[in-house]
Amino acid sequence: METEQFERKLVAILYADVAGYSRLTGADEAGTHRTLSTYLDLFTKAIESHRGTVVHYAGDAILAEFGMASDALTCAINVQQDLQERDTELPEERQVRFRIGVNLGEVIVDRDDIYGEGVNIAARLENLAEPGGVCVSEAVRNAVGGKLPLDYEFMGEQKVKNIEEPVRAYHARLAPGAELPKPSAPRKARPNWLWSAGIAAALVLLIGGSLAYLKPWESREEPASVERMAFPLPDRPSIAVLPFTNMSGDPEQGYFADGMTEDLITDLSKVAGLFVIARNSTFAYKGKSPDIRRVAEELGVRYVLEGSVRRSGDQVRINAQLIDATTGGHMWADRYDGNLKDIFGLQDEVTRNIVTILAVQLTTDDKERATRKETENAQAYDAFLKGWEHYLRQRPNEFRTAISHFEKAVELDPQYARAYAALAATYWETWKRFWHKNLGLPYGSHEPRFRAEQFLAKAMQNPTPLAHQVASGMLLHMQQHEDAIAEAQRAITLDPNDADSYIALAGALSLAGRPDEAFSWVERAMRLNPHYPPYYLYQLGLAQFGIKQLETAASTLETATALNPDDRWSYRLLLATYGLLGRSEDTTRTIQAIKERDKRGWLSAMDPLTVRTSAFWLPFKYPEDAERLAQGLRNAGIPD
């Protein structure tokens, strides 16, 4: 027998009923009906003004749904205050007082109505409320948290009719002397979804790659444990944005979902009041259907955002869900439909809602950074995302493809600074790694560097953190250490949560003779990016080498080369460290490993393993630091 599949969704449910309605109608049927009719009209207007929808009326009862728990609870408190004031105009025996229950949970949608346990719990909470009062479930309490000026009185675990598990209930009341925020304007209706597949441009919980609609109401095994977290929770709201699931039915659209995720991370990172985990760490969970508890404990965050993207042609759908991992509670979920040309507005709305839910106050700088748009051309943005996917793979052939997409982006929008910065970064990395051949450039020429400088000049007309990072690296190689430090600091100012900017600053400080200062910046970068790439360890080892913690530096650099055997810079610094320590056996073993890799063309005539080339890639500001490096390499048997 087939089982019919009903639409399900997560909503905040408000259920209200009149206390003692039978008694009131028995005493004055006509008068009670007139009052009730007036109050239901007021109730309806309040629900609509708080972005809710009345599902149905049943005599003296009203059922409504909201997209956010905070809207439902604000509506409930406000309407009770309004009705209480109106009741004072009536004799006590004729006063019509509602009880209200609010729950957050799953509902089944059928024939323009909603059903299920989520609705049943809201109705049971209504029974537990005082006349004129509001009773909420723990799910609502956790979702709203401290964002509203309310006092909550725990009522214990309530065993209610037809609900198997006890319900943890709370009386919710406005705190003395406090006022609730005014209701926001009702949300404008978005275009109907007319496509079986579409683009969802931001975030949604999808478990196990299922093609079913998001089920954020499904409970986790248990909340994340703060005690088991790998790092202490920051003193500001901390969040990890997991990779969006590509729901487009086309694997080729994966770049778009990844780009949406990264852009949301970037937008949130610009808010100084948030602590945002870096892309590299959250993308480690891509395609793994991670347990939210595990993610929070491994990354040391309280909030986790999940999402999905669906795209069909120019149509986009975004589903998003924010979870408080320490409670397992779902704080917010929403869906956004629109056109590709509206994608930047959709992104802004998602970011704005998250910041509001987390009750973060935006500074003037935050607002300026958040509203700064890199392009208004959706096609240029799409081309950039395609290129960025290839750039992140950090392979020679991928760089060639990345460049073609970035060039397309700047052709479509000649003012697209981020695309110019990406071109500069790609050519700069090509020059440093001697990947000329793959771009069809003369081997060993400085052409990639010249192109990087040209594109960087264009990127600096409206600089991004990436542009400042590339500039910092270039200035270091020109021995302009103080300017390199200043560029890295500018990158951090633009994005206070960009871990790579901290690494750029650490490297500049170490080579400028200030390795003791570099430590804290490497540590901050590693905290923002717990699944950090191996080159973070290179920067840590460089700082340790600078302050002469040689044994520790050797251990750090050994780990870096084990994680990335192609890391020329860590190998050179490791050999210098071994040489200063007199560890001849480790030196011999490392040189042999380099020779084995060189059989496949790892080194080259342009980049031999010598003291001179090592000094080129480690341009210390002070001669004594450069000489210490050279002496260590000579001790290791490396020729000048």
Side-chain angles (χ1 to χ4, degrees):
M1 183 177 67
E2 293 186 359
T3 301
E4 186 175 1
Q5 297 297 310
F6 292 104
E7 179 188 352
R8 296 173 180 269
K9 62 181 179 180
L10 174 72
V11 294
I13 307 125
L14 182 151
Y15 191 90
D17 201 352
V18 175
Y21 183 68
S22 297
R23 174 186 60 79
L24 291 168
T25 56
D28 183 359
E29 185 177 47
T32 298
H33 180 75
R34 283 193 298 271
T35 302
L36 175 62
S37 180
T38 299
Y39 283 16
L40 288 177
D41 287 343
L42 294 170
F43 220 132
T44 300
K45 291 178 181 178
I47 290 169
E48 292 174 350
S49 70
H50 289 83
R51 303 194 300 177
T53 302
V54 175
V55 178
H56 70 229
Y57 304 92
D60 61 320
I62 186 169
L63 175 66
E65 67 173 67
F66 296 77
M68 297 173 61
S70 57
D71 283 341
L73 188 49
T74 303
C75 175
I77 299 294
N78 277 334
V79 79
Q80 288 289 40
Q81 287 183 310
D82 188 14
L83 296 183
Q84 183 178 6
E85 292 177 4
R86 291 174 179 273
D87 264 341
T88 59
E89 301 173 4
L90 298 172
E92 185 174 352
E93 65 274 13
R94 289 182 52 199
Q95 291 179 359
V96 176
R97 307 180 70 188
F98 281 84
R99 295 187 178 96
I100 301 177
V102 182
N103 183 37
L104 178 67
E106 170 193 3
V107 297
I108 295 172
V109 182
D110 185 28
R111 297 180 182 88
D112 296 323
D113 208 338
I114 58 176
Y115 307 84
E117 187 171 88
V119 176
N120 294 340
I121 291 176
R124 301 298 177 261
L125 292 169
E126 178 271 323
N127 287 330
L128 296 172
E130 302 167 343
V134 179
C135 181
V136 303
S137 64
E138 188 167 70
V140 172
R141 170 69 179 88
N142 291 336
V144 175
K147 291 181 288 297
L148 296 176
L150 302 177
D151 291 332
Y152 298 91
E153 177 186 351
F154 183 48
M155 301 168 62
E157 295 187 344
Q158 301 288 325
K159 184 65 177 175
V160 296
K161 182 180 178 181
N162 296 330
I163 303 297
E164 183 175 347
E165 296 292 333
V167 175
R168 294 173 63 84
Y170 296 79
H171 286 304
R173 303 182 180 90
L174 188 65
E179 292 184 1
L180 286 173
K182 295 181 180 179
S184 55
R187 179 179 300 166
K188 294 181 180 179
R190 296 195 176 276
N192 290 331
W193 184 247
L194 303 178
W195 303 79
S196 58
I199 159 184
L203 309 138
V204 104
L205 171 64
L206 248 158
I207 299 178
S210 167
L211 296 182
Y213 180 69
L214 163 70
K215 295 184 178 180
W217 51 86
E218 293 184 356
S219 61
R220 303 285 178 180
E221 292 181 5
E222 60 180 282
S225 168
V226 175
E227 290 73 21
R228 288 198 301 266
M229 286 187 177
F231 310 93
L233 282 177
D235 57 1
R236 47 189 163 141
S238 52
I239 184 171
V241 181
L242 293 181
F244 303 176
T245 300
N246 173 24
M247 291 289 288
S248 301
D250 178 7
E252 294 299 320
Q253 293 294 329
Y255 78 90
F256 194 85
D258 290 348
M260 288 292 94
T261 308
E262 184 162 356
D263 277 357
L264 184 57
I265 292 172
T266 299
D267 288 346
L268 292 172
S269 293
K270 294 175 182 176
V271 180
L274 292 177
F275 182 94
V276 185
I277 293 295
R279 174 202 188 278
N280 186 74
S281 288
T282 59
F283 270 71
Y285 301 97
K286 184 178 178 180
K288 297 182 179 179
S289 302
D291 184 301
I292 297 300
R293 174 189 50 161
R294 179 184 163 214
V295 171
E297 291 176 356
E298 290 180 349
L299 301 181
V301 296
R302 178 173 180 177
Y303 304 103
V304 177
L305 189 66
E306 293 188 302
S308 72
V309 174
R310 185 184 296 275
R311 175 178 179 178
S312 179
D314 286 341
Q315 296 298 308
V316 180
R317 168 169 290 176
I318 302 169
N319 284 296
Q321 164 168 283
L322 183 66
I323 302 164
D324 184 341
T326 63
T327 65
H330 298 80
M331 301 184 64
W332 165 78
D334 212 338
R335 185 178 76 186
Y336 307 84
D337 289 341
N339 189 280
L340 181 60
K341 66 182 180 182
D342 303 322
I343 191 64
F344 308 115
L346 295 176
Q347 290 174 334
D348 286 346
E349 188 169 351
V350 173
T351 302
R352 185 168 56 251
N353 283 335
I354 294 168
V355 171
T356 300
I357 290 295
L358 298 182
V360 177
Q361 297 296 318
L362 293 180
T363 65
T364 302
D365 288 342
D366 289 335
K367 292 176 182 177
E368 182 180 346
R369 287 191 293 262
T371 56
R372 184 183 300 156
K373 295 303 170 192
E374 295 160 346
T375 183
E376 297 295 336
N377 189 313
Q379 298 303 323
Y381 174 71
D382 192 59
F384 173 84
L385 292 184
K386 290 177 181 177
W388 194 245
E389 179 188 41
H390 290 282
Y391 171 78
L392 290 173
R393 293 172 184 166
Q394 296 288 295
R395 295 289 184 270
N397 290 333
E398 300 287 353
F399 271 23
R400 177 194 288 270
T401 306
I403 287 173
S404 67
H405 288 300
F406 294 148
E407 289 176 340
K408 179 66 174 177
V410 297
E411 177 185 336
L412 291 166
D413 181 359
Q415 306 302 318
Y416 198 171
R418 186 180 179 190
Y420 285 122
L423 281 165
T426 307
Y427 279 112
W428 176 247
E429 292 295 328
T430 296
W431 179 74
K432 290 200 302 179
R433 302 182 189 193
F434 296 93
W435 287 354
H436 302 57
K437 180 179 178 181
N438 298 86
L439 300 186
L441 298 172
Y443 183 72
S445 75
H446 289 284
E447 183 64 23
R449 177 170 180 167
F450 294 151
R451 294 188 185 184
E453 291 171 347
Q454 291 172 344
F455 285 122
L456 181 62
K458 294 183 178 180
M460 281 301 191
Q461 294 177 13
N462 185 18
T464 61
L466 178 62
H468 287 302
Q469 291 166 20
V470 174
S472 181
M474 288 182 174
L475 288 165
L476 273 182
H477 278 279
M478 291 187 288
Q479 297 280 327
Q480 298 179 24
H481 296 85
E482 297 308 314
D483 289 339
I485 291 171
E487 286 296 329
Q489 290 172 332
R490 292 186 184 104
I492 293 171
T493 299
L494 285 180
D495 188 342
N497 284 284
D498 191 327
D500 286 346
S501 296
Y502 292 130
I503 286 296
L505 179 57
L509 288 169
S510 288
L511 294 175
R514 296 158 60 181
D516 51 331
E517 297 177 48
F519 272 107
S520 64
W521 296 106
V522 176
E523 289 173 350
R524 292 187 199 185
M526 289 179 167
R527 179 63 185 91
L528 284 165
N529 194 357
H531 296 310
Y532 49 81
Y535 69 84
Y536 281 30
L537 290 171
Y538 162 72
Q539 293 293 354
L540 180 60
L542 180 61
Q544 293 164 340
F545 181 88
I547 61 174
K548 302 178 182 178
Q549 292 182 356
L550 297 181
E551 290 290 354
T552 306
S555 177
T556 299
L557 295 165
E558 286 166 355
T559 303
T561 54
L563 292 172
N564 181 11
D566 289 328
D567 184 354
R568 293 179 174 86
W569 298 276
S570 289
Y571 269 120
R572 288 183 167 99
L573 189 57
L574 179 58
L575 285 172
T577 306
Y578 283 155
L580 293 175
L581 288 170
R583 290 168 57 171
S584 57
E585 291 184 6
D586 290 324
T587 299
T588 301
R589 174 179 50 78
T590 302
I591 292 175
Q592 184 59 38
I594 292 174
K595 289 179 177 179
E596 288 295 322
R597 298 199 65 75
D598 196 31
K599 290 179 181 179
R600 293 177 282 137
W602 185 54
L603 296 174
S604 69
M606 298 301 302
D607 187 31
L609 181 56
T610 65
V611 173
R612 182 178 178 181
T613 57
S614 299
F616 176 78
W617 292 115
L618 287 161
F620 286 103
K621 178 179 180 179
Y622 295 109
E624 56 267 32
D625 292 331
E627 179 55 33
R628 194 161 67 93
L629 173 72
Q631 187 59 53
L633 290 169
R634 294 188 188 105
N635 291 352
I638 305 302
D640 286 335

